[in-house]
Every structure is written in C-alpha cells, then in structure tokens.
Amino acid sequence: MKPDCSSIEAMLSASLDGELTPDEARACAAHLEACDACRAQHAALVSARAVLRGVPPPQPPPDLLPAIRAAADAEMLGEDAAIALLHAMPAPEPPPDLLPAIRIAVAAQTRRDRATQAFWGRWRTALGVAAAAAVLLAAVFVPRGHEPMTAAGPHITAVAPETPSTPAEPVAAPEEVAEAAPVTPNSVALAMASPRRHPSSRAVADVRPDRAERPEEPAPVAEEVAPRPEPAAPVGEPALAVAPREAPTAPSAAPIAPGQITNGTMLAMAPRTTPAHAPAETPASPVAEAPASPVAGGPSALETELAAGVVARMVVDSFVAEHLIESAPTLMAVVTDSPTAEVGPVLADESEDSANFGLNFTESMRRALSQTHNQLP
Amino acid sequence: MGTNAFVDSEDLPVKANDAGPSGSNRADQVLVEAAQEGNADAFGTLAERYYSSVYGIVYRMCGAGEAADLTQEIFLRALRALRKFQFHGEASFRTWLYRIAVNACINELRRRKRRTDIEGPSLDEDVPTNDGTVSRTVPDETQSPHVLAERAEVQRAVHMIVATLTPKHRAALTLVDLQELDYEEAAQVLECPLGTLKSRLARARRQFAEKWRQYEEGTFSIQAARGQGEGG
C-alpha cells in the first residue's frame, strides 16, 4: 500500500535517523519519487536537522558544578545532620572544672546507689519474716508529705547547694518512690530542699518535659535539711542528681567506680557559671581526694574522655534533645558550657521549641546518640 | 498517554534499555549504589558526568535565564529520589536523570505559561507593532556572560525557534536532535511509546523547518510563531 502524504511525515523524519524498517524505507523512497511536495519537505527536514545538530551544546557556567556539589552535600547532610555535624565539628577544650564537677555528681549517685541497695536488703529481710507485717509497716512508714512529688514525670535536676556542709542527696523519681520505696519524712524534706529551678542562678537545672506545668514549690532554706536520713530513696531511672559544686570535699562524696553510672541514669551537671563560689579546697585532682573507692581503679571512661578533651559539640533541635534526654538510657551526662543554657535541653528563653540546643557530648554519648538517633521517629 | 508522559515520575524505576555503553552504565551503577548509601562524592561524580547534558536540556527547553538554577534543582530532585532508583538490567541512570530533567522543564514551562496568563506577556517577548515585531528595551537574559561566550546568530535563532514549540515537541526535538539520544531512549525519557515519539519528533521538525525557512527569509516573528506553536 502506498502511503499518502499525511502518513509519510513520520517516515520522512525517521528516515533522517535511520529508524525505518526496510519495508518502510522502500515505501518512503517510492513516495518521494512520486511526490514533489514531500520531496521538498524532506529536503527542508534534512536542512533543519543539520542546523539543529550543528548547534554546539551550551556551556554551563563555571560555578554550576560546584554549586550542585555543595547543594547535594547539604542535602545529604540534612538526612543525618546531627551526626554529620557532630563528626565535622572540632572537639572543644573542656573547661578545667568540668571533671571535678562530674566526679562530685558521680559520687552522689554512687552513694545513692549504695544506700538504696542497703535499704532494699533490709526490706527484703522484713518481708521474709512476715509479709503481712511488712505491709503494715509500709503503711505506717510511708510519709504523707511526698504526695506532691508523685505527680512529677521524668526529669533531670542538678543542684548546687548553697552551703558546703549540705550533703548532696539524690532523690528518686517520684514514680519509683511511690511504687517501691517508703520515703521518710526527712528524705522528703531533703527533696524539697533541693530547688529544681532558681531564676537567678544556673546552679539548678530541671529538664523535665513538663517543667513548665509544675507548680512552683517553695525553696526551703538549707537549715530545713535534717541530717541525712537512712535509708535514702531508691534510684529511679529518670533520676535527680545533686552536684554540689561548692562542696567537693563533702564527706558524702563517694568514690567513683567505672561503670557505676552506666545504666538507667542520666546525670546532669551544674553549669560552670559559679567559679567565684568555688571553695579554695576544690581538688585539683579529684581522684586523689576522693574517698576510697569500693572498686579500685582509675577514672571512669567518661572521666577519661572528658579529661582528654574528647568532647564534641553539636547542635540538635528541641525534638532531638528531648528525645535524647528521655529515651537514651546510656546517655550518662549532658553537659553544657553555654552561658545561656542550663543543663541539657533547657532553652535559653524556655519558650521556643524551635530553638536549637548546644550540647557537648563525650565519645560515650556520641555512641549513645548514634544509637538513639537511628531510633528517632 | 501524552499527558501521562509528563507526570513527575522520578520515583519510578526505569525499564531496562540499552541506552549508552554498558561500561558507562556499570560505572553509573557503582556510583549510584555508593550515593544511595550516603556517599556524597559518588553523587558528585555522577553530577560531574551529567551536569553539562542536563544543563543543555534545560537550556534548550527553558532558555538560558534560569538554566543553571533549574539544573541544580534537577540534581537535588534526583538526589532525593535516588533511594528509589533501581537498576534493572542495563537500565540507564542517564535515562532516569533525563526524565527528571525533562519533567522539571515541562513543569517550569507550564509555570511560566500560567504566570504569563495571569500577569501578561513576559518582558523578554518581542512587541508586535505595525512595523513588525521589535525587541523590548529591557536587556535580554541571554545577554549574560556565559551565554555571550557561546552566542552566534544561528544559535540564537535556533533557540528562539525551539522556544516557540509546544513543550512536548520541544522535548522531543531537544532530546533527539540537540542531545542526540536515540529514539528508544528518548521515548523512555518521555515515557511514551516509540510511535508517539516518532510522530512528535516529525511534527517538531516540520514546525522547526518551517520557521527556519521564515527566519532565513526574514519573515520570522516570534510572536506569530509562538501562537502557531501553541496552537499546534
């Protein structure tokens, strides 16, 4: 069948590129021999194609490729910005008073752990004698003054006591107190004596997510704190740690054992903003002045890292920061040297969730962060 | 069919094809897999390999004005969609990337048309007068230095004429005659059957040939040609 002029158009075009089948090529050639219009059209197409193919490709501007590379790098960083930034940023030099502060806080935590262990040992003994009597005793000993604490959620608090003689005393998470441990009135009083926030000082930090909703509690004077009761409250996973920066020689400062703060505890440090209050006896070498450790050995991995300056700074948004604080069980310490921020993800203005947080992380925390980051929703 | 060819589909894996040398495809595959694992250098190498040709597509389809910016945006789109890209046999990364480029260009042309419909003609269009069309006094974007370096009267005329074609015809002409893709790869880029590609290319060439003849005769009017192209 001889193709007509309208159906030959595609063949004419394809013939320029050798895209015709042998049958199509023969039909096309036959039509061109017989049709002057299509022959002229074919010539025009040949000319047009030659013009088009003779145009050199446009030269991209010299800055295009670098721009694409930079944009792609930024895009890829955006997928894992926190980790990438963490690795890209140089590790800052830790301040000299950071390690002593950490030691003191760790000591407080250690003492609390031991007290808790001793308390539960006695409690189990009592249960072994008479379960019913134990229940009755619990009803008798549970103080009524701790109810305000039971509503509190997980939080991290660091406290720098006003007086060096005030022993640092951690207080268990309210849920743990309510569920597992009788709390003596004295221990409750101690908890009340540890203000979580202090508007004029950054010695206290409260990073609980619900901190804004908590009613202000009166800050008792230090004299209200009775001698440390025995037993102390048990340790809860969301813990409150007391870091008596001004009392590094407190007798209660327990030795630091490597690995003792590894599980279930987030340790918050008092910011290093009160050097004027630091006592002269602040140990230059906390290891030397620390009481004998039940576990002989050198500093913990965390201390070693901090002492070596292996602290990386990173910026995370509020969501990540909150997530880290709440869910990273191995994130042992969150320390900041920002003059505008308190411990952990405490906002400078305490109002904008969109603000970024500057956090310092040790290598241990970097690993924890990497694990946690992968679990972020 | 035709409209489906221009939906954003960079997330779709391309079909196997034999476009390009297989060695190049294998090299691309290695780079793509590395980039999919987060290797920025690998993606940078891919960009280095193809940015000139992508720029050429954008330049010819959308003009010089925003070609660099749009080229960069195309590579970012490709990077975002890269995790979904899969090699199937000899499937070409280039085909997939060109498809993203052509779709981006067509979307850009549509956006410009919508803007023109709303705001009136662009300032770089010629003004029809009783004495024929005259250029506006505002400087043309094609006066930028990197364009000046490659400008020749013929090239300018070609670009002007190509710009009067419909986006689909422009895409076919750009891929086959300016980028010199074969029909099969061009059809895959445009996601249309081979016969559709042939007919589009034939019409595009016929229109170009007709306008080129007018240009050589001195009777070519961008305004009139654009009206014909969009009507056709």
Side-chain angles (χ1 to χ4, degrees):
Chain A
M1 183 179 71
K2 180 181 177 181
D4 58 21
C5 293
S6 61
S7 64
I8 204 74
E9 182 183 47
M11 285 191 192
L12 290 179
S13 172
S15 69
L16 305 180
D17 304 312
E19 293 280 348
L20 295 180
T21 64
D23 288 345
E24 288 173 333
R26 279 192 292 272
C28 187
H31 182 87
L32 287 179
E33 282 186 10
C35 182
D36 292 342
C38 286
R39 205 161 47 244
Q41 177 67 19
H42 182 260
L45 288 177
V46 170
S47 175
R49 182 176 180 275
V51 169
L52 286 166
R53 301 223 169 191
V55 175
Q59 288 301 310
D63 59 346
L64 178 57
L65 182 58
I68 292 173
R69 283 182 177 273
D73 287 349
E75 181 77 15
M76 296 181 97
L77 276 179
E79 296 176 357
D80 208 356
I83 299 299
L85 278 174
L86 188 62
H87 287 280
M89 291 182 174
E93 188 70 19
D97 61 340
L98 178 59
L99 182 55
I102 290 177
R103 285 189 168 279
I104 292 164
V106 170
Q109 180 66 46
T110 304
R111 190 184 67 246
R112 185 177 62 180
D113 290 346
R114 290 191 310 181
T116 301
Q117 192 173 16
F119 168 77
W120 279 108
R122 287 191 294 274
W123 186 247
R124 281 193 297 271
T125 302
L127 285 175
V129 172
V135 171
L136 179 60
L137 286 172
V140 169
F141 280 100
V142 167
R144 291 172 174 77
H146 74 293
E147 282 84 355
M149 298 294 290
T150 60
H155 62 282
I156 302 170
T157 301
V159 177
E162 293 295 320
T163 60
S165 61
T166 302
E169 182 58 27
V171 178
E175 296 91 329
E176 302 271 346
V177 172
E179 292 172 8
V183 181
T184 67
N186 281 340
S187 67
V188 172
L190 181 63
M192 299 295 286
S194 301
R196 285 186 302 279
R197 300 201 64 76
H198 194 295
S200 61
S201 168
R202 300 190 181 282
V204 179
D206 185 350
V207 295
R208 291 183 311 153
D210 59 344
R211 61 186 179 277
E213 299 173 1
R214 287 180 59 84
E216 285 298 325
E217 295 179 11
V221 295
E223 288 73 17
E224 291 178 4
V225 180
R228 191 162 59 86
E230 190 72 27
V235 181
E237 178 159 342
L240 180 147
V242 180
R245 300 287 311 283
E246 286 79 26
T249 57
S252 59
I256 301 162
Q260 261 188 300
I261 58 169
T262 55
N263 293 324
T265 299
M266 292 176 121
L267 183 61
M269 296 306 306
R272 300 167 300 285
T273 55
T274 56
H277 301 292
E281 61 270 25
T282 298
S285 174
V287 175
E289 299 196 12
S293 170
V295 181
S300 67
L302 172 62
E303 293 171 325
T304 304
E305 289 172 358
L306 289 170
V310 189
V311 179
R313 181 171 180 79
M314 69 171 294
V315 176
V316 297
D317 62 25
S318 59
F319 174 78
V320 175
E322 293 281 353
H323 187 87
L324 289 173
I325 293 301
E326 291 182 355
S327 66
T330 58
L331 190 62
M332 294 181 292
V334 178
V335 184
T336 178
D337 60 356
S338 168
T340 58
E342 295 183 357
V343 177
V346 178
L347 290 166
D349 59 4
E350 301 181 359
S351 61
E352 293 296 332
D353 284 342
S354 60
N356 288 332
F357 301 97
L359 303 179
N360 287 340
F361 288 87
T362 67
E363 286 294 332
S364 299
M365 289 183 282
R366 283 176 56 165
R367 289 191 291 272
L369 172 65
S370 298
Q371 296 164 1
T372 305
H373 184 79
N374 293 333
Q375 298 166 1
L376 288 177
Chain B
M1 299 191 300
T3 53
N4 287 341
F6 299 106
V7 296
D8 285 329
S9 58
E10 50 262 40
D11 55 343
L12 298 176
V14 298
K15 294 183 292 185
N17 75 94
D18 56 359
S22 59
S24 175
N25 267 340
R26 280 195 293 272
D28 282 356
Q29 183 168 358
V30 171
L31 291 169
V32 166
E33 288 172 353
Q36 285 174 328
E37 294 174 358
N39 187 329
D41 287 340
F43 189 82
T45 303
L46 286 169
E48 186 173 0
R49 184 172 291 187
Y50 290 112
Y51 85 104
S52 289
S53 52
V54 170
Y55 178 81
I57 292 173
V58 176
Y59 184 100
R60 270 117 179 207
M61 287 192 68
C62 297
E66 300 172 12
D69 289 345
L70 192 52
T71 300
Q72 181 174 325
E73 176 60 27
I74 287 165
F75 275 96
L76 284 181
R77 288 189 193 185
L79 176 60
R80 292 170 191 144
L82 194 62
R83 287 181 177 174
K84 300 174 185 174
F85 176 78
Q86 298 175 12
F87 276 94
H88 291 284
E90 291 295 308
S92 170
F93 171 77
R94 182 178 75 169
T95 304
W96 179 78
L97 180 63
Y98 285 4
R99 183 183 303 163
I100 294 174
V102 169
N103 287 338
C105 289
I106 289 175
N107 288 337
E108 170 65 16
L109 293 173
R110 288 175 176 170
R111 187 185 65 80
R112 290 182 189 175
K113 186 173 187 306
R114 284 195 300 270
R115 189 175 57 193
T116 302
D117 292 343
I118 295 172
E119 301 175 0
S122 170
L123 290 178
D124 60 359
E125 291 180 354
D126 289 356
V127 181
T129 69
N130 292 334
D131 299 326
T133 60
V134 297
S135 296
R136 294 178 187 266
T137 55
V138 295
D140 189 344
E141 286 177 326
T142 57
Q143 298 288 340
S144 55
H146 66 275
V147 176
L148 286 173
E150 61 120 0
R151 174 183 293 178
E153 183 59 28
V154 171
Q155 294 172 27
R156 183 182 179 188
V158 168
H159 293 151
M160 272 196 312
I161 293 172
V162 169
T164 65
L165 305 178
T166 65
K168 292 177 183 177
H169 290 165
R170 203 182 303 188
L173 200 68
T174 297
L175 292 176
V176 174
D177 277 336
L178 296 172
Q179 297 300 126
E180 301 191 9
L181 268 61
D182 61 33
Y183 282 22
E184 188 171 355
E185 185 175 9
Q188 289 182 353
V189 169
L190 299 178
E191 295 181 291
C192 67
L194 198 59
T196 302
L197 182 276
K198 287 181 180 178
S199 64
R200 281 185 195 166
L201 180 63
R203 289 176 190 173
R205 281 174 170 171
R206 180 172 55 80
Q207 291 177 20
F208 180 86
E210 173 64 19
K211 289 165 185 172
W212 183 255
R213 184 186 59 79
Q214 293 173 2
Y215 168 77
E216 289 185 318
E217 294 173 353
T219 60
F220 176 71
S221 164
I222 288 182
Q223 204 72 10
R226 185 164 291 163
Q228 288 176 8
E230 299 196 353

